Amino acid sequence: MDELLKQKLIENGADVEGTLHRFMGNEALFLKFLLKFKDDMNYRGLLESLDQENYGEAFKYAHTLKGVSANLGLDPISRPASALTELLRGKEESEVDREQVTTQRAALEEAYTLFVELIG
């Protein structure tokens, strides 16, 4: 892994050291999974589901995105994905706090855009 990328990830809140520990120090494998993250469809699926107010599907996408991003140490993405997961867990459409969903979606979009740009 390029040292500049590693530094930029750390500066923007990624847990690079913890993730490398999980990857048994294999930076090439970590980078491989980071590059695959850009193509993960859960982010797009989450946004589409939220746009359609399909909160059951949005929950599934948010939950998966939370796990994937947490495993890669992308904490600024996993935190709002986790918040969205909890906001949507087991909720009927009328029970969803749309204001909080909008707030967490904005945080997720900002973090996701930043990290996808960093990863390249």
Side-chain angles (χ1 to χ4, degrees), residues 13-51:
D15 178 16
V16 172
E17 294 307 316
T19 305
L20 280 172
H21 181 73
R22 279 192 299 282
F23 280 79
M24 299 186 324
N26 189 334
E27 289 186 10
L29 185 60
F30 180 28
L31 181 60
K32 177 182 175 180
F33 279 95
L34 277 176
L35 293 172
K36 285 185 175 212
F37 178 75
K38 296 184 315 183
D39 298 324
D40 184 272
M41 297 303 296
N42 288 293
Y43 174 73
R44 289 173 201 83
L46 173 57
L47 297 185
E48 289 172 11
S49 296
L50 289 174
D51 288 343

Side-chain angles (χ1 to χ4, degrees), residues 76-95:
I77 295 173
S78 67
R79 280 190 296 269
S82 179
L84 283 166
T85 299
E86 295 312 312
L87 286 166
L88 300 172
R89 185 184 302 276
K91 298 280 177 31
E92 297 295 325
E93 184 177 331
S94 62
E95 299 173 310

